[in-house]
Amino acid sequence: QVQLVESGGGLVQPGGSLRLSCAASGFTFSTYTMTWYRQAPGKERELVARISTTGGTTDYADAVKGRFTISRDNVKKTMYLQMNSLKPEDTAVYCCNALSFKFGIRRDYWGQGTQVTVSS
């Protein structure tokens, strides 16, 4: 069965750091583009960062550029999000997504999310 399990969230003070992990199983992780999304109460879901299958290409939302770093380990089948200089507006549920197009077939998987709260 396909699983994406996020971990590493919690409560942190403004200016602090957290590292989120997304552990994958049940599919060929190395062939999937991986993305972190976040959603705060009353707000729309927002793309945070995206990384290509090999890790060679990354993209970030303007709001997190220079503060967050996305990475992946295709041997451990895990994606990471290093978050530095955290701000209260980073507070949200962070979810990981796996996306693949192969032979014209779309596959799209989601994790359950992990809560990040930035507050004094």
Side-chain angles (χ1 to χ4, degrees), residues 17-95:
S17 297
L18 285 173
R19 190 179 79 151
L20 306 184
S21 298
C22 174
S25 60
F27 65 100
T28 308
F29 179 79
S30 62
T31 68
Y32 281 70
T33 299
M34 299 296 298
T35 305
W36 286 102
Y37 291 87
R38 68 186 182 186
Q39 188 167 26
K43 299 189 67 177
E44 296 180 357
R45 186 179 66 197
E46 174 189 20
L47 188 151
V48 178
R50 175 165 284 165
I51 188 166
S52 61
T53 56
T54 65
T57 302
T58 58
D59 294 285
Y60 298 90
D62 287 343
V64 309
K65 197 169 298 180
R67 299 187 297 120
F68 291 10
T69 303
I70 189 171
S71 61
R72 67 189 295 161
D73 186 332
N74 284 347
V75 175
K76 295 182 178 179
K77 298 181 179 180
T78 303
M79 176 179 65
Y80 306 95
L81 186 67
Q82 179 66 47
M83 305 185 294
N84 299 326
S85 302
L86 283 162
K87 304 175 180 180
E89 50 263 47
D90 296 319
T91 297
V93 174
Y94 286 71
C95 296

